Amino acid sequence: TVVLWSDGYTNAAANITARGGVQGGAGGMVETSGKQTLVTSAAPMVHSRDGVSPHGQWLLDPESLTIVATLSSPPAQAPSPSTNNYESGGVASEVTSATLATALNSGANVVLYTSGALGTVSFNDSVLSAPTADAALQVYAHGGITLGANTIGIAAGPPPAGKLSILLQAGY
């Protein structure tokens, strides 16, 4: 299990791995969380290595989250002089659709879980994947889930080796 978490601003751009052993074992669990703001541009590796055991889970749980084609929020550049903490400067929580697709393509179970009183998940871009093993995208929003004209599903091309399960739940 790997947890990247902060009460304020989290910018997760590292290569994170939490995998099962070569002889067997389920994939690991990774949580990338920024209570106020989360910006992530790298999908963790949480799949099992033996190809038989269940794959792991990647949890993202900011107050609200927007799925975008390109990150619009630059990472914080320097600590705040008053608190010596990195601050978001008011940027929104974002993850790219390509980052989510990368995780799903490897067979990960991706959970988007908003924690704010009005926490929403907005899909400003489509999430299309070609899973190499069964994968799942679970979206839990305290407020609403907005898809607009965007799609969540299987990318065009030959049928993938795995299935993609999708769960959307708003107003929990």
Side-chain angles (χ1 to χ4, degrees):
T1 299
V2 177
V3 177
L4 268 70
W5 185 83
S6 73
D7 281 335
Y9 175 73
T10 301
N11 180 13
N15 293 323
I16 303 169
T17 302
R19 298 173 59 189
V22 176
Q23 300 297 319
M29 162 55 167
V30 172
E31 175 184 351
T32 49
S33 178
K35 184 175 179 186
Q36 294 176 352
T37 303
L38 170 65
V39 177
T40 184
S41 59
M45 294 177 27
V46 294
H47 56 283
S48 62
R49 291 187 204 196
D50 64 7
V52 178
S53 301
H55 291 310
Q57 178 176 295
W58 179 27
L59 170 66
L60 297 92
D61 64 341
E63 288 183 353
S64 288
L65 183 64
T66 303
I67 290 76
V68 295
T70 305
L71 295 176
S72 61
S73 308
Q77 298 300 314
S80 165
S82 61
T83 63
N84 203 32
N85 293 327
Y86 286 88
E87 296 178 3
S88 69
V91 299
S93 294
E94 297 178 328
V95 61
T96 66
S97 55
T99 300
L100 292 178
T102 297
L104 294 168
N105 289 347
S106 71
N109 296 308
V110 178
V111 179
L112 310 178
Y113 189 96
T114 62
S115 57
L118 300 174
T120 59
V121 177
S122 300
F123 287 83
N124 290 358
D125 195 37
S126 294
V127 178
L128 300 173
S129 68
T132 57
D134 290 351
L137 176 62
Q138 301 172 33
V139 181
Y140 300 93
H142 197 80
I145 299 169
T146 305
L147 290 172
N150 297 300
T151 303
I152 303 170
I154 301 296
K163 294 178 252 163
L164 176 61
S165 299
I166 301 167
L167 170 72
L168 304 174
Q169 183 176 346
Y172 68 87

XYZ file of all heavy atoms in Angstrom, residues 71-167:
653
model
N -3.713 18.830 -18.358
C -3.743 19.539 -17.085
C -3.630 21.033 -17.314
O -2.753 21.499 -18.033
C -2.600 19.073 -16.175
C -2.656 17.624 -15.709
C -1.396 17.289 -14.909
C -3.896 17.361 -14.887
N -4.527 21.788 -16.711
C -4.473 23.242 -16.849
C -3.795 23.884 -15.654
O -3.504 25.055 -15.672
C -5.882 23.814 -17.000
O -6.661 23.517 -15.862
N -3.554 23.087 -14.630
C -3.010 23.618 -13.386
C -1.520 23.346 -13.287
O -1.120 22.195 -13.165
C -3.703 22.957 -12.204
O -5.083 23.042 -12.338
N -0.707 24.370 -13.331
C 0.714 24.115 -13.117
C 0.949 23.751 -11.659
O 0.239 24.220 -10.775
C 1.369 25.455 -13.456
C 0.302 26.464 -13.216
C -1.002 25.774 -13.519
N 1.926 22.888 -11.385
C 2.216 22.555 -9.989
C 2.702 23.773 -9.228
O 3.241 24.707 -9.808
C 3.308 21.494 -10.086
C 3.849 21.593 -11.461
C 2.797 22.218 -12.320
N 2.488 23.755 -7.924
C 2.997 24.839 -7.085
C 4.508 24.908 -7.248
O 5.176 23.888 -7.316
C 2.631 24.582 -5.628
N 5.044 26.099 -7.318
C 6.463 26.270 -7.602
C 7.327 26.409 -6.359
O 8.483 26.052 -6.378
C 6.656 27.493 -8.497
C 5.969 27.364 -9.841
C 6.475 26.185 -10.646
O 7.671 25.968 -10.754
N 5.581 25.402 -11.204
N 6.776 26.954 -5.299
C 7.599 27.184 -4.111
C 6.713 27.165 -2.874
O 5.520 27.445 -2.961
C 8.302 28.538 -4.219
N 7.287 26.850 -1.727
C 6.485 26.868 -0.501
C 6.017 28.277 -0.175
O 6.700 29.254 -0.469
C 7.435 26.359 0.569
C 8.641 25.861 -0.120
C 8.643 26.427 -1.506
N 4.857 28.362 0.443
C 4.346 29.635 0.915
C 5.267 30.154 2.006
O 5.602 29.419 2.933
C 2.935 29.447 1.454
O 2.548 30.562 2.212
N 5.697 31.424 1.923
C 6.596 31.961 2.955
C 5.957 31.960 4.346
O 6.636 31.792 5.340
C 6.876 33.389 2.500
C 6.463 33.443 1.077
C 5.450 32.371 0.859
N 4.620 32.101 4.417
C 3.978 32.201 5.736
C 3.848 30.839 6.418
O 3.873 30.752 7.638
C 2.606 32.851 5.602
O 1.783 32.061 4.766
N 3.688 29.752 5.649
C 3.465 28.446 6.271
C 4.548 27.428 5.947
O 4.582 26.364 6.534
C 2.133 27.863 5.792
O 2.210 27.649 4.379
C 0.969 28.760 6.136
N 5.404 27.727 4.978
C 6.421 26.806 4.488
C 5.800 25.545 3.876
O 6.407 24.500 3.821
C 7.423 26.426 5.577
C 8.739 25.968 4.970
O 9.137 26.451 3.909
N 9.407 25.027 5.609
N 4.540 25.654 3.438
C 3.849 24.552 2.780
C 3.582 24.919 1.330
O 3.374 26.078 1.005
C 2.492 24.269 3.447
C 2.641 23.738 4.839
O 3.596 23.031 5.143
N 1.709 24.083 5.704
N 3.571 23.900 0.480
C 3.162 24.127 -0.896
C 1.663 24.342 -0.915
O 0.913 23.653 -0.220
C 3.534 22.923 -1.772
C 5.006 22.860 -2.062
C 5.879 22.202 -1.197
C 5.532 23.484 -3.177
C 7.224 22.148 -1.452
C 6.886 23.442 -3.438
C 7.731 22.772 -2.582
O 9.068 22.736 -2.835
N 1.196 25.303 -1.696
C -0.221 25.600 -1.759
C -0.670 25.573 -3.212
O 0.109 25.798 -4.129
C -0.514 26.953 -1.121
C -0.172 26.938 0.370
C -0.399 28.259 1.052
O -0.878 29.204 0.396
O -0.083 28.354 2.241
N -1.941 25.331 -3.396
C -2.471 25.148 -4.744
C -2.672 26.448 -5.489
O -2.771 26.449 -6.699
C -3.805 24.408 -4.680
O -4.794 25.236 -4.097
N -2.796 27.554 -4.787
C -3.067 28.808 -5.466
C -4.445 28.816 -6.102
O -4.684 29.505 -7.079
N -5.367 28.017 -5.583
C -6.728 28.006 -6.084
C -6.963 27.120 -7.294
O -8.026 27.183 -7.891
N -6.000 26.287 -7.683
C -6.201 25.422 -8.844
C -7.178 24.310 -8.500
O -7.330 23.916 -7.352
C -4.869 24.817 -9.357
C -3.922 25.909 -9.797
C -4.217 23.946 -8.307
N -7.864 23.815 -9.513
C -8.842 22.744 -9.328
C -8.152 21.390 -9.319
O -7.054 21.231 -9.833
C -9.860 22.804 -10.463
N -8.836 20.398 -8.745
C -8.316 19.022 -8.767
C -8.544 18.440 -10.150
O -9.666 18.478 -10.673
C -9.030 18.176 -7.717
O -8.724 18.637 -6.429
N -7.472 17.896 -10.743
C -7.550 17.381 -12.112
C -6.757 16.097 -12.268
O -5.744 15.897 -11.606
C -6.975 18.394 -13.111
C -7.701 19.696 -13.196
C -7.039 20.654 -14.172
O -5.799 20.622 -14.332
O -7.775 21.452 -14.773
N -7.223 15.262 -13.179
C -6.481 14.108 -13.662
C -6.788 14.016 -15.150
O -7.903 14.318 -15.580
C -6.855 12.809 -12.904
C -8.326 12.460 -13.078
C -5.967 11.661 -13.326
N -5.799 13.620 -15.946
C -6.054 13.524 -17.382
C -6.762 12.213 -17.717
O -6.594 11.202 -17.037
C -4.767 13.615 -18.220
O -3.957 12.482 -17.954
C -4.005 14.909 -17.939
N -7.544 12.256 -18.777
C -8.226 11.053 -19.262
C -7.202 9.998 -19.671
O -7.411 8.806 -19.453
C -9.147 11.400 -20.426
O -8.420 12.058 -21.446
N -6.071 10.426 -20.219
C -5.020 9.477 -20.625
C -4.423 8.773 -19.415
O -4.108 7.581 -19.474
C -3.929 10.201 -21.414
N -4.275 9.482 -18.291
C -3.746 8.872 -17.078
C -4.707 7.810 -16.554
O -4.297 6.708 -16.181
C -3.486 9.946 -16.003
O -2.534 10.893 -16.519
C -2.952 9.352 -14.721
N -6.005 8.121 -16.551
C -6.998 7.129 -16.133
C -6.994 5.930 -17.081
O -7.041 4.777 -16.641
C -8.390 7.748 -16.071
C -8.623 8.782 -14.977
C -10.038 9.348 -15.084
C -8.381 8.198 -13.602
N -6.935 6.191 -18.393
C -6.926 5.098 -19.378
C -5.703 4.209 -19.202
O -5.806 2.981 -19.318
C -6.984 5.663 -20.796
N -4.544 4.789 -18.895
C -3.335 4.001 -18.668
C -3.538 3.033 -17.511
O -3.177 1.855 -17.593
C -2.133 4.926 -18.393
O -1.903 5.722 -19.560
C -0.881 4.139 -18.069
N -4.117 3.505 -16.424
C -4.373 2.638 -15.271
C -5.370 1.545 -15.637
O -5.162 0.369 -15.311
C -4.885 3.458 -14.097
N -6.440 1.910 -16.316
C -7.451 0.922 -16.710
C -6.888 -0.087 -17.708
O -7.206 -1.272 -17.651
C -8.678 1.622 -17.290
C -9.467 2.488 -16.293
C -10.466 3.362 -17.039
C -10.139 1.633 -15.240
N -6.042 0.373 -18.618
C -5.439 -0.526 -19.609
C -4.633 -1.640 -18.953
O -4.542 -2.741 -19.476
C -4.551 0.247 -20.583
C -5.354 1.106 -21.535
O -6.570 0.976 -21.647
N -4.667 2.015 -22.209
N -4.043 -1.353 -17.795
C -3.238 -2.363 -17.102
C -4.097 -3.280 -16.233
O -3.570 -4.180 -15.586
C -2.156 -1.694 -16.253
O -2.746 -1.050 -15.139
N -5.402 -3.047 -16.200
C -6.289 -3.892 -15.415
C -6.555 -3.382 -14.011
O -7.080 -4.107 -13.177
N -6.220 -2.144 -13.731
C -6.430 -1.590 -12.395
C -7.906 -1.322 -12.131
O -8.694 -1.114 -13.051
C -5.644 -0.284 -12.228
N -8.243 -1.312 -10.865
C -9.554 -0.856 -10.418
C -9.356 0.576 -9.944
O -8.661 0.819 -8.954
C -10.078 -1.741 -9.290
C -10.300 -3.152 -9.781
O -10.959 -3.358 -10.783
N -9.723 -4.118 -9.092
N -9.936 1.537 -10.676
C -9.762 2.955 -10.376
C -11.018 3.456 -9.682
O -12.133 3.264 -10.184
C -9.494 3.761 -11.662
C -9.365 5.245 -11.348
C -8.238 3.248 -12.365
N -10.821 4.101 -8.519
C -11.942 4.629 -7.749
C -11.774 6.139 -7.618
O -10.764 6.611 -7.092
C -12.013 3.997 -6.341
C -13.171 4.587 -5.546
C -12.131 2.478 -6.439
N -12.750 6.891 -8.128
C -12.799 8.347 -7.975
C -13.863 8.619 -6.922
O -15.025 8.236 -7.098
C -13.174 9.028 -9.296
C -12.384 8.608 -10.527
C -12.895 9.339 -11.768
C -10.901 8.833 -10.332
N -13.477 9.265 -5.827
C -14.364 9.401 -4.676
C -14.245 10.818 -4.147
O -13.214 11.171 -3.570
C -13.923 8.387 -3.620
C -14.842 8.225 -2.440
C -15.774 7.207 -2.417
C -14.756 9.081 -1.344
C -16.609 7.025 -1.321
C -15.587 8.913 -0.249
C -16.515 7.885 -0.241
O -17.339 7.717 0.830
N -15.269 11.636 -4.358
C -15.186 13.012 -3.872
C -15.623 13.072 -2.416
O -16.536 12.378 -1.996
C -16.037 13.978 -4.712
O -17.410 13.609 -4.631
C -15.567 13.982 -6.156
N -14.935 13.923 -1.668
C -15.161 13.981 -0.236
C -15.755 15.295 0.227
O -16.076 15.439 1.396
C -13.846 13.723 0.505
O -12.877 14.664 0.093
N -15.909 16.253 -0.656
C -16.448 17.550 -0.265
C -17.955 17.516 -0.133
O -18.639 16.654 -0.687
N -18.499 18.466 0.627
C -19.948 18.534 0.836
C -20.694 18.642 -0.494
O -21.784 18.107 -0.648
C -20.278 19.716 1.733
N -20.115 19.326 -1.451
C -20.718 19.452 -2.778
C -19.864 18.736 -3.817
O -19.908 19.078 -4.996
C -20.875 20.928 -3.151
C -21.749 21.753 -2.210
C -21.713 23.216 -2.599
C -23.172 21.232 -2.184
N -19.067 17.773 -3.397
C -18.088 17.110 -4.260
C -18.679 16.595 -5.558
O -19.635 15.827 -5.553
N -18.105 17.035 -6.657
C -18.567 16.616 -7.976
C -17.431 15.958 -8.741
O -16.258 16.180 -8.445
C -19.071 17.814 -8.806
O -17.993 18.749 -8.954
C -20.251 18.502 -8.132
N -17.798 15.152 -9.739
C -16.845 14.619 -10.697
C -17.338 15.059 -12.067
O -18.477 14.763 -12.450
C -16.737 13.081 -10.629
C -15.782 12.575 -11.697
C -16.274 12.634 -9.251
N -16.496 15.784 -12.787
C -16.849 16.298 -14.113
C -15.920 15.698 -15.155
O -14.699 15.821 -15.039
C -16.728 17.825 -14.150
O -17.597 18.401 -13.196
N -16.502 15.053 -16.153
C -15.735 14.494 -17.257
C -15.716 15.528 -18.376
O -16.675 15.642 -19.137
C -16.349 13.174 -17.737
C -16.127 12.033 -16.799
C -16.961 11.847 -15.709
C -15.072 11.157 -16.991
C -16.758 10.798 -14.824
C -14.854 10.105 -16.117
C -15.698 9.926 -15.030
N -14.628 16.288 -18.463
C -14.457 17.257 -19.545
C -13.733 16.633 -20.733
O -13.410 17.327 -21.686
C -13.704 18.489 -19.050
C -14.539 19.324 -18.100
O -15.704 19.018 -17.831
N -13.949 20.377 -17.566
N -13.469 15.336 -20.660
C -12.868 14.584 -21.756
C -13.300 13.134 -21.615
O -13.623 12.675 -20.513
C -11.336 14.693 -21.712
C -10.689 14.246 -23.020
O -11.257 14.502 -24.095
O -9.605 13.630 -22.954
N -13.327 12.415 -22.718
C -13.705 11.008 -22.708
C -12.592 10.148 -22.132
O -11.417 10.464 -22.289
C -14.026 10.531 -24.131
O -15.175 11.194 -24.617
N -12.965 9.059 -21.478
C -12.009 8.075 -20.966
C -12.250 6.796 -21.750
O -13.259 6.118 -21.565
C -12.187 7.825 -19.453
C -11.200 6.752 -18.981
C -11.997 9.115 -18.671
N -11.347 6.495 -22.666
C -11.455 5.314 -23.513
C -10.254 4.427 -23.258
O -9.117 4.876 -23.347
C -11.520 5.717 -24.991
C -12.702 6.618 -25.348
C -12.583 7.109 -26.777
C -14.016 5.901 -25.127
N -10.510 3.170 -22.934
C -9.409 2.275 -22.594
C -9.496 0.988 -23.391
O -10.505 0.694 -24.019
C -9.408 1.968 -21.093
O -10.530 1.187 -20.757
N -8.425 0.218 -23.354
C -8.337 -1.115 -23.965
C -7.674 -2.016 -22.930
O -6.485 -2.317 -23.017
C -7.528 -1.058 -25.251
N -8.433 -2.446 -21.901
C -7.838 -3.190 -20.791
C -7.200 -4.505 -21.231
O -7.773 -5.247 -22.016
C -9.006 -3.454 -19.846
C -10.164 -2.685 -20.346
C -9.864 -2.254 -21.730
N -6.011 -4.761 -20.698
C -5.330 -6.029 -20.960
C -5.803 -7.112 -19.994
O -5.509 -8.280 -20.185
C -3.806 -5.861 -20.826
O -3.524 -5.360 -19.512
C -3.273 -4.898 -21.877
N -6.509 -6.706 -18.950
C -7.138 -7.604 -17.983
C -8.401 -6.901 -17.498
O -8.576 -5.702 -17.740
C -6.192 -7.872 -16.813
N -9.289 -7.625 -16.842
C -10.514 -6.998 -16.361
C -10.178 -5.803 -15.481
O -9.298 -5.875 -14.617
C -11.359 -8.005 -15.576
C -11.957 -9.084 -16.473
O -11.853 -8.958 -17.713
O -12.536 -10.031 -15.934
N -10.870 -4.684 -15.725
C -10.621 -3.436 -15.011
C -11.958 -2.826 -14.603
O -13.013 -3.223 -15.116
C -9.844 -2.459 -15.900
N -11.903 -1.863 -13.693
C -13.123 -1.204 -13.247
C -12.867 0.273 -13.006
O -11.801 0.657 -12.520
C -13.644 -1.852 -11.962
N -13.863 1.084 -13.365
C -13.862 2.504 -13.028
C -15.098 2.743 -12.171
O -16.224 2.525 -12.623
C -13.910 3.385 -14.278
C -14.001 4.893 -14.021
C -12.774 5.402 -13.260
C -14.173 5.660 -15.322
N -14.860 3.141 -10.921
C -15.949 3.409 -9.988
C -15.902 4.881 -9.629
O -14.867 5.383 -9.201
C -15.802 2.566 -8.729
C -15.791 1.083 -8.991
C -15.440 0.298 -7.742
O -15.777 0.688 -6.629
N -14.742 -0.818 -7.930
N -17.029 5.572 -9.825
C -17.096 7.002 -9.568
C -18.176 7.250 -8.516
O -19.352 6.934 -8.741
C -17.413 7.796 -10.854
C -17.449 9.291 -10.571
C -16.408 7.462 -11.952
N -17.763 7.791 -7.369
C -18.676 8.118 -6.281
C -18.569 9.625 -6.033
O -17.498 10.099 -5.640
C -18.298 7.379 -4.995
C -18.313 5.880 -5.125
C -17.149 5.183 -5.448
C -19.479 5.165 -4.910
C -17.155 3.803 -5.557
C -19.498 3.781 -5.024
C -18.328 3.107 -5.345
O -18.340 1.735 -5.463
N -19.644 10.348 -6.259
C -19.633 11.792 -6.069
C -20.675 12.177 -5.034
O -21.844 11.780 -5.143
C -19.922 12.512 -7.384
N -20.243 12.931 -4.037
C -21.169 13.397 -3.012
C -22.237 14.285 -3.647
O -23.396 14.229 -3.264
C -20.407 14.148 -1.927
C -21.168 14.317 -0.662
N -21.281 13.312 0.259
C -21.876 15.361 -0.179
C -22.025 13.732 1.275
N -22.391 14.960 1.034
N -21.825 15.079 -4.608
C -22.750 15.927 -5.354
C -23.172 15.220 -6.634
O -23.789 14.165 -6.597
N -22.780 15.774 -7.778
C -23.189 15.212 -9.059
C -22.028 14.720 -9.895
O -20.868 14.990 -9.606
N -22.384 13.980 -10.941
C -21.429 13.496 -11.933
C -21.858 14.072 -13.271
O -23.008 13.899 -13.681
C -21.410 11.959 -12.003
C -20.997 11.369 -10.652
C -20.475 11.482 -13.123
C -21.196 9.872 -10.539
N -20.936 14.761 -13.952
C -21.243 15.382 -15.230
C -20.426 14.714 -16.327
O -19.197 14.692 -16.254
C -20.906 16.890 -15.198
O -21.602 17.494 -14.104
C -21.289 17.557 -16.498
N -21.123 14.170 -17.321
C -20.443 13.559 -18.467
C -20.472 14.468 -19.685
O -19.590 14.405 -20.529
C -21.095 12.220 -18.837
C -20.882 11.080 -17.857
C -21.740 9.895 -18.237
C -19.427 10.701 -17.812
N -21.494 15.289 -19.820
C -21.642 16.107 -21.022
C -21.719 15.206 -22.232
O -22.426 14.202 -22.244
N -20.981 15.527 -23.270
C -20.956 14.717 -24.492
C -19.817 13.711 -24.475
O -19.485 13.128 -25.500
C -20.831 15.632 -25.702
N -19.214 13.494 -23.317
C -18.057 12.613 -23.222
C -18.474 11.166 -22.980
O -19.588 10.880 -22.555
C -17.121 13.103 -22.119
C -16.581 14.471 -22.461
O -15.929 14.641 -23.483
N -16.885 15.460 -21.643
N -17.554 10.249 -23.260
C -17.811 8.817 -23.204
C -16.833 8.148 -22.247
O -15.671 8.533 -22.167
C -17.612 8.208 -24.620
O -18.473 8.886 -25.526
C -17.903 6.734 -24.630
N -17.324 7.130 -21.557
C -16.464 6.247 -20.779
C -16.655 4.871 -21.389
O -17.789 4.387 -21.470
C -16.857 6.201 -19.292
C -16.842 7.589 -18.673
C -15.925 5.263 -18.534
C -17.451 7.638 -17.289
N -15.589 4.239 -21.858
C -15.766 2.926 -22.469
C -14.506 2.375 -23.091
O -13.394 2.777 -22.761
N -14.723 1.461 -24.017
C -13.639 0.762 -24.695
C -13.215 1.567 -25.928
O -14.052 2.033 -26.696
C -14.082 -0.659 -25.113
C -14.506 -1.469 -23.889
C -13.008 -1.371 -25.908
C -13.397 -1.740 -22.886
N -11.910 1.711 -26.113
C -11.371 2.439 -27.257
C -11.634 1.662 -28.548
O -11.780 0.441 -28.543
C -9.872 2.662 -27.071
N -11.694 2.392 -29.643
C -11.872 1.764 -30.959
C -10.681 0.880 -31.279
O -9.564 1.144 -30.843
C -12.035 2.843 -32.028
N -10.919 -0.186 -32.020
C -9.842 -1.099 -32.390
C -10.236 -2.525 -32.102
O -11.405 -2.821 -31.832
N -9.263 -3.424 -32.134
C -9.582 -4.821 -31.861
C -10.105 -4.983 -30.432
O -9.754 -4.196 -29.553
C -8.253 -5.556 -32.046
C -7.213 -4.515 -32.164
C -7.865 -3.192 -32.401
N -10.942 -5.998 -30.180
C -11.467 -6.191 -28.828
C -10.330 -6.384 -27.829
O -9.376 -7.104 -28.097
C -12.300 -7.467 -28.945
C -12.591 -7.626 -30.397
C -11.442 -6.977 -31.129
N -10.420 -5.727 -26.676
C -9.363 -5.871 -25.673
C -9.438 -7.231 -24.983
O -10.460 -7.916 -25.038
C -9.654 -4.736 -24.694
C -11.119 -4.499 -24.824
C -11.467 -4.806 -26.261
N -8.359 -7.588 -24.321
C -8.300 -8.864 -23.599
C -9.165 -8.853 -22.350
O -9.630 -9.894 -21.910
C -6.844 -9.177 -23.229
N -9.392 -7.678 -21.780
C -10.161 -7.589 -20.541
C -11.458 -6.827 -20.726
O -11.679 -6.162 -21.732
N -12.319 -6.942 -19.730
C -13.580 -6.211 -19.702
C -13.419 -4.973 -18.833
O -12.575 -4.932 -17.937
C -14.691 -7.087 -19.138
C -15.036 -8.269 -20.012
C -16.112 -9.105 -19.345
C -15.441 -10.321 -18.896
N -15.706 -11.260 -18.057
N -14.265 -3.985 -19.088
C -14.260 -2.755 -18.291
C -15.617 -2.626 -17.600
O -16.648 -2.527 -18.264
C -14.007 -1.529 -19.155
C -14.072 -0.171 -18.458
C -13.017 -0.067 -17.362
C -13.906 0.963 -19.467
N -15.608 -2.648 -16.264
C -16.813 -2.413 -15.478
C -16.869 -0.951 -15.099
O -15.840 -0.380 -14.717
C -16.810 -3.267 -14.205
O -16.788 -4.629 -14.519
N -18.056 -0.358 -15.185
C -18.211 1.072 -14.883
C -19.347 1.230 -13.888
O -20.441 0.695 -14.077
C -18.527 1.881 -16.162
C -17.415 1.700 -17.192
C -18.730 3.358 -15.821
C -17.788 2.193 -18.578
N -19.077 1.966 -12.797
C -20.088 2.279 -11.809
C -20.084 3.775 -11.569
O -19.012 4.357 -11.300
C -19.786 1.555 -10.487
C -20.643 1.982 -9.288
C -22.071 1.458 -9.444
C -20.034 1.495 -7.991
